[in-house]
Amino acid sequence: MHLDDRPRLQPFLDAPMDAAVVTDFDGTLAPIVDDPEAAVALPGVVDAIHELAVAFGQVAVVSGRPVSFLRDRLELDDRPTTPLFVSGLYGIEWLADGVEQVHPTAVAFRDIVAEAADRADAAVPDGVGVERKGYSLTLHVRTGPEHLDWARSWAAATAHTTGLVVHAGRMSFELRPPIEVDKGSVVTDLVRGRRAACFLGDDLGDLPAFDALDRLHADTGAAVLRVGVRSAEAPSELIERADVLVDGPAGSLELLRALLGR
């Protein structure tokens, strides 16, 4: 982050226990990779997140990944006393006292999602990946961008026949149960009552989290910071709405360390 942006962190440094630090994972804490299962946090990130969770009133990772994936990548079982909150699948899953929880409506869709993933495996052209997330599935076209229209059409047709809902992401299309949760609803709950709150994100699915910060500021006057993580694929909507821009996961790590006073 730029030196000129550091004064924006002062409300967090002045009263950390009254502040919330919330972040996305992929593209924000971890570099984007062709194989989603190969994604890992940038070295130094996990330590910084756990330190922040001790120093601040609320620290959370809110992601489209399953909670089980985040639990592993953030080393939660190795650091069980850290008060780090984790939400997965855009709020469909979360971790509470070490126990993985799931939105009750999603349970009825698990078999539907699995069947759709089976059909996707049989139909996808070369270069398109199918990521199974338990209660949702994602078509990835990063390694087959020429099949973008195919993936969009297949996802729309499958949504029509299954009741799942399509959510477009960065070179991907995700099918989720029709549940009124997203990163915005999760962040709204996490930042309620805080005097300062920030969110770090890199994709369209992070914009509802920015909306949640806007509402917090409008309702209470809390200091908020919308952090856009810049990359060649970052959507213009996110870049335009960010208060601060950082360059990739390395920039996110620099900001997290700055929140620790470093």
Side-chain angles (χ1 to χ4, degrees):
M1 63 185 297
H2 296 296
L3 187 61
D4 291 345
D5 292 328
R6 286 188 176 253
R8 293 177 177 269
L9 304 184
Q10 201 58 48
F12 298 85
L13 299 174
D14 289 344
M17 293 308 294
D18 286 330
V21 178
V22 190
T23 178
D24 173 44
F25 184 80
D26 287 283
T28 300
L29 303 182
I32 295 293
V33 292
D34 290 341
D35 178 5
E37 288 302 311
V40 293
L42 196 72
V45 159
V46 173
D47 286 339
I49 284 289
H50 283 274
E51 287 184 55
L52 284 165
V54 173
F56 280 74
Q58 177 73 76
V59 176
V61 176
V62 179
S63 169
R65 293 293 194 135
V67 160
S68 59
F69 175 93
L70 298 169
R71 185 174 195 161
D72 174 72
R73 296 307 192 272
L74 297 170
E75 302 177 7
L76 292 178
D77 291 336
D78 295 333
R79 314 186 195 205
T81 61
T82 303
L84 175 66
F85 182 81
V86 170
S87 173
L89 301 185
Y90 300 89
I92 291 175
E93 293 183 330
W94 61 95
L95 196 63
D97 297 323
V99 179
E100 295 178 18
Q101 309 285 334
V102 62
H103 193 290
T105 302
V107 175
F109 282 86
R110 189 176 181 100
D111 289 344
I112 293 172
V113 168
E115 291 168 6
D118 289 341
R119 293 200 301 274
D121 281 334
V124 292
D126 290 343
V128 178
V130 180
E131 182 184 7
R132 296 170 179 259
K133 299 182 178 181
Y135 297 101
S136 70
L137 70 117
T138 302
L139 300 179
H140 293 279
V141 296
R142 178 166 283 100
T143 55
E146 68 275 18
H147 301 303
L148 184 67
D149 289 340
W150 178 90
R152 181 185 294 110
S153 297
W154 189 92
T158 300
H160 180 72
T161 58
T162 61
L164 298 170
V165 179
V166 180
H167 296 268
R170 222 159 73 169
M171 303 299 289
S172 67
F173 298 94
E174 182 156 356
L175 287 159
R176 299 181 217 151
I179 302 172
E180 291 297 320
V181 295
D182 59 15
K183 290 188 180 183
S185 60
V186 176
V187 171
T188 294
D189 290 339
L190 290 171
V191 304
R192 186 175 290 115
R194 301 294 172 182
R195 292 171 55 189
C198 70
F199 183 87
L200 293 75
D202 74 309
D203 204 354
L204 291 173
D206 298 313
L207 291 176
F210 282 7
D211 294 338
L213 295 187
D214 290 345
R215 290 192 294 269
L216 177 69
H217 176 70
D219 292 344
T220 70
V224 299
L225 189 64
R226 299 169 297 183
V227 182
V229 182
R230 193 160 35 197
S231 74
E233 296 179 0
S236 59
E237 298 97 320
L238 181 120
I239 298 300
E240 291 166 1
R241 290 195 56 195
D243 301 308
V244 169
L245 292 171
V246 299
D247 290 322
S252 297
L253 178 57
E254 183 184 3
L255 188 145
L256 296 178
R257 285 175 170 166
L259 287 167
L260 289 166
R262 296 174 189 165

